Amino acid sequence: MPLRLFLTSGDLMADRRFEFARDLQLKGDLSAAADLLEQAIELAPTFTSAWFTLGEIRLQLGERDKAIAAFRKARDSDPEDQHGAGLHLIRLGDAQLAEMPKAYVQALFDQYAPRFEHALINDLGYRAPSLIFKAVLAARVAAKKPAFFKRTIDLGCGTGLAAAAFAKQVDHFIGIDLSPGMIKEARATGLYAELEVADMIEGLHGKADASANLVVAADAFVYLSDLAPVLSEARRVLASGGVLAFTLETHAGDGIVLGEGLRYAHSAEYARGAIAKAGLKLLTLEPCSPRNENNEPVRGLVVVAEKT
């Protein structure tokens, strides 16, 4: 996982208490850690990192109401919510399902970028790009169409793993990612003709109608709750006969849930409905596992759709 985000309080003594509290938390002395964090907060009442960590500890101690109160303070002290306190409030049932804060996603992946590939491949058995590649290839073979794409947009491109999977099938690759750190890593691969720091919907919005033949999103839509805006924009930028391919995490219920790993899981029925509402033709919707978590395969879906 990425290094932990730390936002200084601006008070040296408060920051020191926070550091000691984190050491105690990691050693399992949760009550002592909570006491130190409360001392830090007395010195710096808007100390976001302290409030957020206190929320985590209260949760570990089974103190739900106190955890909610701390996460609320963390969110209120940082309107951009770089720690993602609001996501914990959703998980705790204190807030309605909502989109992830952009600042949270950016901070998460900027920290993750230098060791992203190693962690995904070696620790998490990441396989989303290969699953998408095989699904697209199978769909094109079934339709008796060539599996070569002149212009491809890679949404949430990360370090370039999807581009590597499709390298021999694409003439011109465009990568879009919210994280400047990820874009830096992607640039080093030499696989992309264009790279852009933007969220997925903003990035697509800047592209001309019918300007792409393939849009891929490997393990990227798990950071979106409502898929309608991105699917609508993807359809617009695809040329006739163009393909959209992506992976999702899924669950056995209905609609959308925010999972324990703070990623959205979309039901198969939701995915089918969203594809239909976007005006795309569904070619493939199959169960898969794009990665592992806690040494267990994550339930997922691989989806291929076409603009007719």
Side-chain angles (χ1 to χ4, degrees), residues 42-283:
E42 284 181 14
L43 293 169
T46 59
F47 191 176
T48 306
S49 293
W51 278 118
F52 181 80
T53 304
L54 183 59
E56 290 181 315
I57 289 172
R58 293 301 185 199
L59 200 54
Q60 287 177 281
L61 290 168
E63 300 171 345
R64 178 181 177 275
D65 290 346
K66 289 183 177 180
I68 287 172
F71 284 131
R72 284 178 180 172
K73 287 285 191 179
R75 182 190 58 189
D76 294 345
S77 63
D78 175 20
E80 290 189 325
D81 197 10
Q82 295 173 76
H83 285 282
L87 299 175
H88 288 274
L89 291 172
I90 293 170
R91 288 280 303 162
L92 288 165
D94 187 65
Q96 296 295 314
L97 193 72
E99 295 300 331
M100 288 191 188
K102 291 180 184 179
Y104 163 75
V105 178
Q106 187 176 72
L108 178 71
F109 285 101
D110 273 348
Q111 293 174 95
Y112 208 173
R115 59 184 301 269
F116 179 77
E117 282 194 25
H118 182 273
L120 277 185
I121 295 169
N122 295 295
D123 300 339
L124 302 177
Y126 182 63
R127 44 199 172 261
S130 63
L131 289 168
I132 291 172
F133 176 76
K134 291 173 184 176
V136 168
L137 201 63
R140 298 297 276 188
V141 168
K144 297 181 180 178
K145 294 180 179 179
F148 181 82
F149 304 92
K150 187 175 181 180
R151 288 175 63 85
T152 294
I153 299 174
D154 184 3
L155 297 175
C157 65
T159 59
L161 293 172
F166 279 90
K168 295 181 180 178
Q169 316 300 131
V170 171
D171 185 39
H172 186 100
F173 243 119
I174 302 164
I176 298 169
D177 201 287
L178 186 58
S179 163
M182 288 295 188
I183 290 293
K184 179 181 177 182
E185 298 291 326
R187 185 169 286 113
T189 68
L191 293 170
Y192 294 91
E194 301 176 42
L195 285 162
E196 179 181 353
V197 176
D199 74 28
M200 291 180 276
I201 297 166
E202 289 171 348
L204 286 172
H205 190 68
K207 304 295 178 284
D209 292 358
S211 61
N213 310 103
L214 173 66
V215 175
V216 298
D219 212 28
F221 288 175
V222 296
Y223 297 99
L224 297 176
S225 171
D226 181 9
L227 297 184
V230 74
L231 295 181
S232 175
E233 278 297 292
R235 185 188 183 281
R236 182 187 62 77
V237 303
L238 282 171
S240 179
V243 173
L244 168 66
F246 56 93
T247 54
L248 296 171
E249 291 188 13
T250 194
H251 63 107
D254 298 323
I256 309 154
V257 299
L258 182 64
E260 188 176 346
L262 301 184
R263 294 183 302 275
Y264 297 108
H266 302 80
S267 72
E269 285 308 308
Y270 172 87
R272 284 192 184 92
I275 289 288
K277 287 177 183 176
L280 294 161
K281 178 183 177 182
L282 183 62
L283 302 179

